[in-house]
Amino acid sequence: MRFDDAPTGRPMRLSAYFLPLLKESPAEAQIVSHQLMLRAGMIRQSSAGIYSWLPLGHAVLRRVEQIVREEMNAAGCQEILMPAVQPADIWQESGRYEAYGREMLRFEDRHERAMLFGPTHEEVVTDIFRRCIRSYRDLPKNLYQIQWKFRDEIRPRFGVMRGREFLMKDNYSFDLDFEGAKRSYDNMFSAYLRTFKRMGLTAIPMRAESGAIGGSMSHEFQILASTGESEVFYDAAFEELDLLAPDLDVDTIQRYYAATDEQHLPDACPLPPERLRHGRGIEVGHIFYFGTKYSKPLGAAVTGPDGEDVFVEMGSYGIGVSRLVGAIIEAYHDDKGIIWPESVAPFDVALVNLRASDTGCAEVTGDLYAKLKTAGVDVLYDDRDESPGVKFATMDLIGIPWQVVIGPRGLKAGVVELKSRASGETEELSPEAVVDRLAG
RNA sequence: CGGAGCGUGGCGCAGCCUGGUAGCGCACUUGUCUGGGGGACAAGGGGUCGUGGGUUCAAAUCCCGCCGCUCCGACCA
């Protein structure tokens, strides 16, 4: 066993990789992303709506998380980490301790102090803010974290898409006035469009209810998928629109009609019927402006330019990181398995040695492996002594974007095969050419 | 929480109705062959039948309680 082949901390030889695959789908998995995550050895259920992430799933989760982090940083937000376990008293201050209901997991510590496992963090972040910030000159601020949340859903389902414990990116903006808050809101709005796009997803921003978070301005970001949980209505223009086009500003996008079913009133819909589309959506993000809903009861105020104290204007912004992993699979799969977009794939390339026992094959594959590794390519090397069919099925199931197939047949002609998981297209190249292609 | 269903080896299931030696496929172990799409043969290992009680000479099977999981509905990233 070698451990030096894993700069990322993961073994890259499949024979050493912890990848418990399933040929059949467990009965409890109802939708394709859940089935595939179980079959591909990404997750295992611990209890209802609570999962362990195994190496392959964890790798994808981390990549999704990293994209979110990079986009938040690029949007001027600063990362923090708040406690998962929170004291109840700040929730009593905000008035949500009673309002939140049984979704909140409550318990007592050994001193019989009321505690809870955080379902969201408005109270905590507002508490931090009120104790640290005094002046309008410290505004605006936008803080985020990527943190496990717990919401004791009545009925968890769909694997990680609707778990009780889930990884969420949540951030919180603080501004002096409404204009500032609106700027923060719009800034997050466009950051979200960029974030989802990087994962290969088109998320349609929809007018939404603000629910338990409360507030007056709110958008949900929905990915269209037949297995989505909510019914959504939207302008056919979204099917053509490039939401990231430089000449398209946030106000313009927000004027296109799109709404979830709670918000959509058929009689009041401004769209002509021929432009109204409806389908099902997976909610992957939700942004809220809620003004002083928390700053007022918790007393988060700054001194303004005129010397008067004002409660800060706040917004909060969530992205379901663990849910996105499932959502991406819903969008990218076929009957053989997952088809990862390159930006979130657990590995860039899989080397499939069809004949592990053949010295020539092992030599060429080992050489490819070393060269790709040196070039910084993330490689999974299938060195198992399995039949070709098993190897192909494994790779198609776990969905690595590029497969390099090394077999005795090709090597006679001095070539290996480069296959795209997405298109299924295959190309015969010399090993050197493959390295150039993949390392380029 | 209301309604429905399911718990039998790691996974998928049969057996339960009509009580009497726990079974099949996949996976796993060993060996031989095989080798470009989940290969073949042979020999093996692994199950307190979710759990507690009850009925019975005898319970996976019948009865009751509990626990867990899933599905349909109302809530949410």
Side-chain angles (χ1 to χ4, degrees), chain A residues 30 48-49 151-158 162-164 229:
Chain A
Q30 298 298 310
R151 293 183 190 169
D152 201 354
E153 300 282 344
I154 289 162
R155 189 156 84 84
R157 63 190 118 167
F158 302 151
R162 181 67 178 278
R164 293 194 291 172
E229 282 200 85

Side-chain angles (χ1 to χ4, degrees), chain A residues 18 20 28 34 37-59 61-62 148 159-160 163-167 322 325:
Chain A
F18 184 64
E28 76 258 19
H34 191 189
M37 287 181 80
L38 291 167
R39 288 190 51 210
M42 294 177 66
I43 55 168
R44 282 293 113 105
Q45 179 165 299
S46 175
S47 63
I50 301 178
Y51 294 86
S52 293
W53 293 74
L54 309 186
L56 192 79
H58 183 250
L61 186 66
R62 285 291 172 250
W148 290 94
V160 300
R164 293 194 291 172
E165 186 176 88
F166 56 97
L167 188 62
S322 47
V325 176

Side-chain angles (χ1 to χ4, degrees), chain A residues 246-266:
Chain A
D247 56 335
L248 195 58
D249 63 29
V250 168
D251 283 330
T252 311
I253 297 173
Q254 290 179 2
R255 272 197 292 275
Y256 282 100
Y257 186 81
T260 56
D261 53 353
E262 311 90 45
Q263 291 285 295
H264 175 73
L265 303 169

Side-chain angles (χ1 to χ4, degrees), chain A residues 332-357:
Chain A
Y332 292 100
H333 69 272
D334 62 16
D335 57 346
K336 295 194 183 104
I338 303 167
I339 306 171
W340 292 115
E342 293 190 28
S343 60
V344 299
F347 292 92
D348 303 318
V349 178
L351 296 181
V352 184
N353 180 355
L354 286 189
R355 194 78 62 83
S357 57

Side-chain angles (χ1 to χ4, degrees), chain A residues 101-117:
Chain A
R102 289 229 239 320
E103 256 178 42
M104 188 154 73
L105 179 62
R106 303 156 199 253
F107 46 88
E108 287 183 347
D109 67 13
R110 66 195 300 162
H111 306 294
E112 296 177 3
R113 188 183 185 197
M115 308 293 284
L116 56 99
F117 198 107

Side-chain angles (χ1 to χ4, degrees), chain A residues 2-13 369 373:
Chain A
R2 295 172 42 164
F3 295 100
D4 63 343
D5 59 356
T8 56
R10 292 176 293 156
M12 293 181 171
R13 284 179 156 80
Y369 176 50
K373 199 179 85 178

Side-chain angles (χ1 to χ4, degrees), chain A residues 80-361:
Chain A
I80 62 174
L81 188 56
M82 290 181 271
V85 172
Q86 307 178 17
D89 51 13
I90 49 178
W91 285 72
Q92 277 151 357
E93 274 191 77
S94 74
R96 281 209 292 184
Y97 195 62
E98 306 306 322
Y100 215 91
R102 289 229 239 320
E103 256 178 42
M104 188 154 73
L105 179 62
R106 303 156 199 253
F107 46 88
E108 287 183 347
D109 67 13
R110 66 195 300 162
H111 306 294
E112 296 177 3
R113 188 183 185 197
M115 308 293 284
L116 56 99
F117 198 107
T120 179
H121 282 71
E122 278 83 9
E123 282 78 1
V124 176
V125 78
T126 306
D127 178 53
I128 294 168
F129 185 91
R130 70 179 171 183
R131 291 196 280 164
C132 302
I133 299 293
R134 297 272 97 92
S135 162
Y136 78 97
R137 291 205 207 93
D138 295 321
L139 298 180
K141 284 282 178 288
N142 194 325
L143 304 175
Y144 77 98
Q145 67 171 348
I146 298 172
Q147 164 75 290
W148 290 94
K149 306 270 198 261
F150 192 91
R151 293 183 190 169
D152 201 354
E153 300 282 344
I154 289 162
R155 189 156 84 84
R157 63 190 118 167
F158 302 151
V160 300
M161 299 259 284
R162 181 67 178 278
R164 293 194 291 172
E165 186 176 88
F166 56 97
L167 188 62
M168 179 178 176
K169 185 284 306 174
D170 47 320
N171 57 336
Y172 304 90
S173 65
F174 303 88
D175 285 277
L176 182 61
D177 51 26
F178 175 77
E179 288 67 35
K182 169 75 168 134
R183 266 196 303 280
S184 293
Y185 186 91
D186 289 348
N187 182 37
M188 284 297 103
F189 187 97
S190 39
Y192 273 34
L193 294 175
R194 285 193 296 272
T195 303
F196 298 128
K197 188 72 179 182
R198 274 185 66 183
M199 298 168 194
L201 299 173
T202 301
I204 299 182
M206 310 206 169
R207 289 174 217 181
E209 277 183 17
S210 39
I213 308 287
S216 52
M217 184 163 55
S218 177
H219 282 87
E220 283 179 12
F221 290 75
Q222 297 266 357
I223 290 162
L224 298 178
S226 57
T227 46
E229 282 200 85
S230 41
E231 190 167 20
V232 295
F233 298 85
Y234 57 96
D235 192 326
F238 275 110
E239 289 166 358
E240 305 298 323
L241 215 52
D242 175 10
L243 292 171
L244 294 182
D247 56 335
L248 195 58
D249 63 29
V250 168
D251 283 330
T252 311
I253 297 173
Q254 290 179 2
R255 272 197 292 275
Y256 282 100
Y257 186 81
T260 56
D261 53 353
E262 311 90 45
Q263 291 285 295
H264 175 73
L265 303 169
D267 298 334
C269 178
L271 277 181
E274 70 274 11
R275 274 178 58 193
L276 180 66
R277 296 282 184 277
H278 73 101
R280 303 200 67 82
I282 300 169
E283 184 186 0
V284 291
H286 202 155
I287 62 178
F288 307 88
Y289 159 75
F290 47 71
T292 58
K293 179 177 160 76
Y294 299 97
S295 56
K296 198 175 275 181
L298 287 161
V302 295
T303 307
D306 55 1
E308 295 292 313
D309 279 2
V310 292
F311 293 116
V312 292
E313 291 275 325
M314 294 176 57
S316 72
Y317 317 87
I319 288 180
V321 176
S322 47
R323 171 180 286 185
L324 271 168
V325 176
I328 291 166
I329 295 172
E330 290 293 326
Y332 292 100
H333 69 272
D334 62 16
D335 57 346
K336 295 194 183 104
I338 303 167
I339 306 171
W340 292 115
E342 293 190 28
S343 60
V344 299
F347 292 92
D348 303 318
V349 178
L351 296 181
V352 184
N353 180 355
L354 286 189
R355 194 78 62 83
S357 57
D358 181 282
T359 337
C361 289

